[in-house]
Amino acid sequence: MNLKEFSELLGLSPTTVSRALGGYPEVKEDTRRRVLEAAAKHGYSPNRRAASLATGRAMAIGHVIPTVLNHEMVNPVFADFIAGAGDVYARAGYDMVLSVVSEREEARAYAQLADMGSVDGLIVHGPREGDPRVALLRKSNLPFVVHGRVPDRPLDYSFVDIDNRRAFQRATDLLLDLGHRRIALLNGLDQMDFARRRRAGYLAALGARDVPADPDLIAGFEMTEHASHAAARRMLALPDPPTAFLASSHIMGIGVRRAIHDLDLSMGRDVSVVIHDDMLSYLANGADIPVFTATRSSVRAAGRRCAEMLMEHIAMPNAGLKQEVWECDLVLGASTGPVPR
């Protein structure tokens, strides 16, 4: 079925159908929904080449992934983000361009994508300290959305982020309320913005209760099960070990749980654990009762929202910035309990 046939089926003009599928804001929401539902029902997908010729657009969105960030980006968390974004791209008739480059080639990759016109917009992943990408993209006038926020930079760009500081402040407060005073933080690499904000929330909660922060109980590293297991084992071997852990991901929490079990201790009774849960499709935090107490926010939903915002920027280049900070849920699971006597 081509565009003309699909349009006749709906009783709409081909222009209206194309704009509804492309996410143009001037199309009424009822019309957009009707077109999308009909496209799904009849298996219609727009001809990207025809759409490109008609609109003068590349009909593609870019994602640049530096290999230096493979601990953050080239992993199942990134895959879930892309799955959410990909749903939006597909509905709008857009392809996705993934560029995996070395760190030294990153700026060149962004500049090349902007200059060649091979994409209509970009999503920036893993903002970090000293990040040059926002300034580069603002000069290029290529629409973009940041997943997260860049440390120490004016908020002169569109972004979707979670309130990492508040989430980890609440999680630390929970452990303090349970009587814990030796609380360890296993975090991402220090230059990553989310890790800086989570650490700030943890320290703020401790400071508000006049609990001193022990540097031996704070660590930032690649967010893997192996690294978190090693860090937890080291901390549990201290003369005054932690009675609770905050871990920045579900995978890190699994490493902490293994370290606890190595010492024939019980998670939730002898040592409490709180994680951040991205609600990954491949790694559920229990069924009816969560395994881990967790701060929770869906990374797939974040991918979907970043893509929607980018589509809006492409359709309306002169529209204002869109900036969203999402509150995390705090869910109670089996991994936390009162400080042991």
Side-chain angles (χ1 to χ4, degrees):
M1 182 183 298
N2 59 33
L3 175 61
K4 183 175 182 295
E5 293 167 338
F6 183 58
S7 301
E8 289 174 350
L9 179 69
L10 291 171
L12 298 171
S13 71
T15 300
T16 298
V17 171
S18 293
R19 289 180 174 272
L21 293 170
Y24 283 76
E26 63 267 26
V27 178
K28 293 180 180 179
E29 187 57 35
D30 288 347
T31 302
R32 187 194 319 280
R33 187 180 302 109
R34 179 185 165 205
V35 170
L36 291 174
E37 289 175 353
K41 178 181 177 181
H42 296 284
Y44 175 78
S45 59
N47 183 312
R48 290 179 173 82
R49 179 172 176 79
S52 178
L53 291 172
T55 63
R57 295 177 180 170
M59 302 304 294
I61 301 299
H63 296 258
V64 177
I65 311 166
T67 53
V68 70
L69 289 183
N70 60 5
H71 54 280
E72 301 293 347
M73 296 295 102
V74 188
N75 61 22
V77 174
F78 180 64
D80 259 35
F81 180 95
I82 286 295
D87 287 343
V88 176
Y89 300 155
R91 289 199 306 270
Y94 275 76
D95 286 323
M96 188 187 313
V97 177
L98 297 179
S99 298
V100 180
V101 299
S102 66
E103 182 184 15
R104 64 179 180 275
E105 295 292 322
E106 185 179 12
R108 185 191 62 80
Y110 278 99
Q112 187 175 48
L113 286 171
D115 293 343
M116 292 180 62
S118 55
V119 297
D120 297 313
L122 285 157
I123 291 181
V124 177
H125 300 276
R128 56 197 184 271
E129 185 177 9
D131 200 321
R133 293 174 293 175
V134 168
L136 187 155
L137 288 172
R138 281 182 61 79
K139 289 181 181 178
S140 75
N141 292 321
L142 186 69
F144 69 96
V145 173
V146 179
H147 181 212
R149 283 172 282 179
V150 179
D152 306 321
R153 180 185 169 85
L155 296 178
D156 54 356
Y157 51 90
S158 292
F159 65 83
V160 174
D161 198 6
I162 61 175
D163 195 338
N164 285 289
R165 189 184 193 279
R166 176 164 165 76
F168 269 52
Q169 186 168 355
R170 291 177 66 201
T172 307
D173 279 334
L174 171 67
L175 293 170
L176 291 166
D177 289 342
L178 291 169
H180 296 278
R181 293 299 180 268
R182 297 286 291 167
I183 302 171
L185 172 65
L186 302 186
N187 207 359
L189 292 171
D190 292 340
Q191 67 264 34
M192 304 303 293
D193 180 72
F194 75 87
R196 291 165 57 125
R197 293 179 188 275
R198 291 177 185 179
R199 178 180 173 130
Y202 160 82
L203 293 175
L206 293 181
R209 307 284 186 101
D210 294 322
V211 176
D214 185 346
D216 289 337
L217 298 185
I218 301 173
F221 45 80
E222 294 187 4
M223 296 166 65
T224 65
E225 190 272 347
H226 174 76
S228 58
H229 171 261
R233 280 296 301 265
R234 175 180 59 78
M235 292 177 179
L236 289 169
L238 292 170
D240 188 10
T243 62
F245 285 86
L246 277 175
S248 267
S249 74
H250 195 158
I251 292 173
M252 295 174 78
I254 293 172
V256 175
R257 180 174 62 180
R258 183 159 68 92
I260 293 169
H261 290 174
D262 287 348
L263 300 175
D264 293 325
L265 300 173
S266 174
M267 184 175 73
R269 185 189 66 197
D270 300 312
V271 182
S272 290
V273 181
V274 180
I275 68 166
H276 177 72
D277 180 12
D278 285 301
M279 302 174 67
L280 302 178
S281 57
Y282 80 103
L283 187 62
N285 184 17
D288 298 327
I289 300 175
V291 174
F292 289 101
T293 294
T295 60
R296 174 182 286 175
S297 184
S298 168
V299 73
R300 183 175 291 229
R304 188 177 300 114
R305 184 59 186 140
C306 282
E308 290 171 350
M309 288 168 56
L310 186 55
M311 293 291 101
E312 292 168 11
H313 279 313
I314 291 169
M316 299 182 64
N318 296 322
L321 299 176
K322 297 181 180 295
Q323 301 175 336
E324 297 182 5
V325 180
W326 296 359
E327 185 82 9
C328 293
D329 294 325
L330 179 60
V331 298
L332 298 179
S335 65
T336 50
V339 64
R341 295 192 177 187

